Amino acid sequence: MIDHLVYAVPDLALADDLGIALSPGGPHVGLGTRNLLASLGGDAYLEVIGPDPEQPEPDGPRPFGIDDLTEPKLVAWAVRVEDIDEAVERAKARGYDPGPVMSMSRVRPDGVLLEWRLTPPVAGILPFLIDWGSTLHPSASAAQGAVLESLLVTDYDKDAAYEGLKALGLRDFAMGYGPPGLMAEIRTSDGEVVLR
């Protein structure tokens, strides 16, 4: 179900204070971002994403509102699917359009090329969809030791948010009442880390 959580930071140096062991992911060429990764158990992982000082300024804004961040924030999450085109059509038939499918890639520090297809990776309480095809899943090479205990999605309009989750096939996902947002509880060898 959950493929990964996206924790955006205004500066990747802030990841040192996270309390979770992270490994280098790689740059998103042209987007002006780079990421660090941690396996969360199962086939899920945490992506910490921020500006890449080694890249030129991108033509447009960096994803997930990174350019406007003043502090780290859990901004998005992704759900893994095996046939993304079919999953998008199924969601549309159920009343929710997750957006057009696009292709992306990045090269890991060890030179391995990762390629995937996804719906627009935008910040929000509803997940975007991702299909890794035949690419080795990033959780396999990410830093180990953390476990995702829970992910809570909150919104004042729980019914509308839940309808979107149901359209994506996430019928049993728990919702909380409150300001729109995400909260993850992650267990590490040094204790629990809460990301908001």
Side-chain angles (χ1 to χ4, degrees):
M1 180 170 93
I2 296 175
D3 184 79
H4 68 279
L5 308 180
V6 181
Y7 191 65
V9 294
D11 185 330
L12 279 172
L14 295 171
D16 293 341
D17 301 326
L18 195 54
I20 298 174
L22 298 162
S23 57
H28 303 105
V29 177
L31 297 179
T33 56
R34 170 179 294 276
N35 64 16
L36 304 168
L37 308 177
S39 172
L40 293 177
D43 285 319
Y45 69 97
L46 172 67
E47 174 183 26
V48 178
I49 185 171
D52 183 356
E54 296 179 12
Q55 290 188 55
E57 285 294 311
D59 292 336
R62 290 176 177 88
F64 303 114
I66 287 172
D67 296 323
D68 298 323
L69 285 178
T70 57
E71 61 185 26
K73 183 177 181 184
L74 185 60
V75 293
W77 58 300
V79 169
R80 183 170 50 251
V81 296
E82 291 189 9
D83 183 337
I84 194 165
D85 298 301
E86 180 182 320
V88 166
E89 289 308 311
R90 195 167 47 244
K92 285 181 181 178
R94 294 174 179 162
Y96 175 70
D97 184 355
V101 176
M102 61 186 82
S103 297
M104 290 186 71
S105 65
R106 70 174 169 81
V107 177
R108 290 189 335 204
D110 60 5
V112 173
L113 175 66
L114 302 182
E115 298 178 293
W116 64 94
R117 299 177 71 219
L118 73 169
T119 56
V122 295
I125 60 171
L126 292 180
F128 58 95
L129 305 178
I130 191 164
D131 183 345
W132 290 99
S134 60
T135 289
L136 181 66
H137 194 263
S139 64
S141 60
Q144 304 293 309
V147 176
L148 178 62
E149 294 288 333
S150 67
L151 174 65
L152 180 65
V153 176
T154 59
D155 197 354
Y156 288 125
D157 190 352
K158 286 173 55 176
D159 291 340
Y162 185 62
E163 286 304 311
L165 290 171
K166 280 197 322 186
L168 293 170
L170 305 173
R171 297 184 177 279
D172 298 325
F173 203 87
M175 288 284 306
Y177 178 80
L182 304 170
M183 183 183 78
E185 296 179 348
I186 298 170
R187 180 169 37 88
T188 75
S189 59
D190 295 326
E192 184 178 83
V193 175
V194 176
L195 303 180
R196 300 176 193 272

